[in-house]
Amino acid sequence: MAEPPSSPPQPSNAGRPAPRPPFADLGLPVLTVQALRREGFTDPRPIQDAAIPDALAGRDVLGRAPTGSGKTLAFGLPMLARLAGRPAIPRAPRGLVLAPTRELALQIERALEPFALGLRLGTAVGGLPTARQAEKLLRGVDLLIATPGRLTDLVEQGAAVLDSVQVTVLDEADHMADFGFLPQVRRLLDATPADGQRLLFSATLDDDSVQDLVRHYLRNPVTHSVAPEPAAAVAVHHLLFVDTADKPAVLARIAAREGRTLMFVRTQYGAEKLTRRLRDEGIAVAALHGGKAQNRRLRTLAAFADGAVSTLVATDIAARGIHVDAVSLVVHADPPTSPKDYVHRAGRTARAGAAGTVVTVVTPDQRAEVSALIQAAEVETVTHSVRPADRQLQQLTGARAPAVTPAAAQPAARDRVRPPRGSGQPRRVSGSAPARRPHRRRAR
Ligand code: ADP
Ligand code: MG
């Protein structure tokens, strides 16, 4: 209906210059546009549309867009275009991408390889021999994609020098902050020329330490923020009204579900207490809070990521460190203290467009507080009154009876209750009566 009614029917491109692939409109080199077509990329994503022209023009860019929205090419294509045509310098990359994890760094390299324009890409990540990376740097790498830890090692050994870096990208800056990498990141940025171009990308920009980085290291940046925060947009939110006496059983049944579950509590003590109780019911659970050392927290996260732990009980502060995909349920076991916390907690599920559910367990004394909070967070919720064995609770969350009933757990409470491996009993069929006989979690 965009056409005025009087205009005659005509081909959609009439009156415009000869049709060009939309990517070409962004000012990218012809070779890049051809490579994009070969790779099957026809239309730029919104963040690419927004950020590429500014990055090509040499501006500092601050980009916020949800996971999966195409940020890699948004920074990678203009970066490669700007670096193209000049020779590599031994040990001194001219482009640098910092990423929080080894997997992400390798993924970025793979994603940019088809658009390299003859430039040499290299990675500096943990878990691979340092010597090999140092050798490659010595031969000359134009664009280095690195994790802060390994790059710091290489710089300290003299294998990498950052004073020729013209363009630096900080990818997933929010996760860099979560993993405690910012001090290293700052030192690395300090080793690059102060007048270099810097691009910072993140799924969220509301973290204070990320804001600090922006203030210190970006000059007059253009901000491109596309689409709302991912989680708030796609997750389904429920309020579960429960009797105070039912709350422990409701939480245990939810924690016993299949799939990755993240439960939020307000205090470290609360996290420990709930974790112990759930563990006593045979649930593969771990606590994540600020009272644990950083390397313990990372180990716990790794166990959650590979499925050894299926339910994580976390405090708000520790949750900033959670970057695990496929968390299918977020449970506010204690209501959050602020609308911002609600959004942060909820943002741990429904990442990258995956489905996700957020439930808030609300006792009668918490109803007024929670309803005010939900309103302030501007989230649409559906309210249900549930009891532990209700079918509705099961349908909403996948809740099921835990492996060990509280009565059975009493004598064994001091030991870890662990189902023997391979004692696979059939799982309870959906909708059947609460099991008298405890089921076992499948051993992975
Ligand atoms: P982000 O870094 O924002 O999480 P990625 O850069 O990893 O997202 O991209 C997510 C997926 O989208 C990748 O599989 C990528 O190949 C694809 N993608 C990126 N840009 C486009 C595009 N313009 N058209 C189609 N697919 C794209
Ligand atoms: Mg990315």
Side-chain angles (χ1 to χ4, degrees):
M1 288 319 223
E3 300 264 329
S6 61
S7 56
Q10 45 185 296
S12 61
N13 63 346
R16 290 195 227 134
R20 286 201 290 158
F23 262 116
D25 294 342
L26 302 179
L28 291 164
V30 174
L31 281 175
T32 305
V33 176
Q34 287 171 354
L36 282 162
R37 201 178 310 133
R38 267 201 309 279
E39 295 295 312
F41 298 120
T42 52
D43 303 303
R45 294 274 179 82
I47 188 66
Q48 295 162 355
D49 213 27
I52 289 175
D54 284 320
L56 277 173
R59 296 282 308 266
D60 282 6
V61 173
L62 187 55
R64 180 178 75 69
T67 305
S69 59
K71 294 190 285 295
T72 314
L73 296 183
F75 63 72
L77 298 182
M79 184 179 205
L80 289 163
R82 282 175 55 83
L83 298 174
R86 262 154 295 160
I89 311 165
R91 290 188 303 143
R94 295 178 299 122
L96 174 64
V97 178
L98 292 175
T101 64
R102 163 199 151 88
E103 287 71 24
L104 181 60
L106 297 173
Q107 191 184 317
I108 293 169
E109 185 190 33
R110 276 197 306 276
L112 297 186
E113 196 66 67
F115 312 102
L117 301 172
L119 296 170
R120 283 197 242 170
L121 308 190
T123 52
V125 300
L128 296 168
T130 310
R132 186 101 41 89
Q133 292 168 0
E135 271 165 40
K136 186 160 182 192
L137 278 161
L138 186 60
R139 276 180 272 130
V141 165
D142 296 288
L143 172 56
L144 184 67
I145 304 151
T147 51
R150 177 55 64 93
L151 183 57
T152 298
D153 292 346
L154 288 164
V155 167
E156 281 170 1
Q157 290 172 21
V161 181
L162 302 184
D163 57 9
S164 300
V165 172
Q166 296 159 24
V167 190
T168 308
V169 172
L170 291 185
D171 193 20
E172 302 205 350
D174 46 350
H175 296 131
M176 298 270 208
D178 295 338
F179 286 123
F181 291 149
L182 291 193
Q184 275 177 332
V185 167
R186 283 167 174 276
R187 279 195 297 276
L188 292 168
L189 284 171
D190 288 337
T192 67
D195 60 355
Q197 182 185 16
R198 283 157 184 166
L199 316 173
L200 187 150
F201 283 80
S202 189
T204 61
L205 294 174
D206 52 2
D207 191 301
D208 288 342
S209 43
V210 172
Q211 289 298 344
D212 265 9
L213 272 188
V214 171
R215 269 195 301 277
H216 277 84
Y217 294 98
L218 271 63
R219 284 171 311 154
N220 187 24
V222 212
T223 303
H224 291 297
S225 199
V226 311
E229 291 286 335
V234 276
V236 186
H237 300 253
H238 300 278
L239 299 184
L240 303 181
F241 284 1
V242 302
D243 284 346
T244 307
D246 280 345
K247 182 172 165 177
V250 166
L251 289 177
R253 281 175 174 257
I254 294 174
R257 68 190 279 278
E258 291 242 317
R260 285 203 193 100
T261 308
L262 190 52
M263 290 199 161
F264 283 97
V265 294
R266 282 188 181 171
T267 63
Q268 295 184 8
Y269 173 74
E272 287 294 337
K273 200 170 104 181
L274 179 57
T275 301
R276 227 175 303 127
R277 227 188 41 229
L278 295 175
R279 188 174 287 148
D280 286 346
E281 300 203 30
I283 295 161
V285 61
L288 191 80
H289 56 67
K292 302 204 168 188
Q294 170 80 352
N295 60 357
R296 279 262 324 266
R297 273 186 281 168
L298 292 178
R299 269 208 307 279
T300 300
L301 273 177
F304 189 51
D306 77 15
V309 162
S310 62
T311 295
L312 206 56
V313 179
T315 57
D316 291 287
I317 294 165
R320 301 312 307 273
I322 294 174
H323 176 42
V324 177
D325 289 330
V327 171
S328 46
L329 180 70
V330 165
V331 182
H332 302 273
D334 293 337
T337 44
S338 71
K340 197 175 160 188
D341 281 344
Y342 184 96
V343 173
H344 276 151
R345 289 173 168 197
R348 302 302 108 185
T349 186
R351 298 169 73 94
T357 303
V358 181
V359 301
T360 308
V361 178
V362 190
T363 53
D365 56 309
Q366 294 169 332
R367 287 187 192 181
E369 174 197 356
V370 169
S371 83
L373 203 125
I374 290 297
Q375 255 184 341
E378 296 180 348
V379 181
E380 276 197 30
T381 55
V382 189
T383 303
H384 318 262
S385 287
V386 292
R387 310 220 48 207
D390 277 358
R391 185 156 177 193
Q392 199 179 23
L393 178 67
Q394 183 205 333
Q395 284 167 343
L396 291 172
T397 64
R400 54 185 185 176
V404 182
T405 60
Q410 289 307 331
R414 237 166 272 121
D415 310 321
R416 279 269 205 92
V417 182
R418 280 230 165 263
R421 267 182 114 61
S423 70
Q425 293 183 30
R427 287 216 317 280
R428 214 146 48 73
V429 184
S430 144
S432 67
R436 298 288 307 144
R437 183 173 53 113
H439 77 263
R440 309 282 190 198
R441 294 191 72 85
R442 224 175 330 173
R444 298 200 192 194

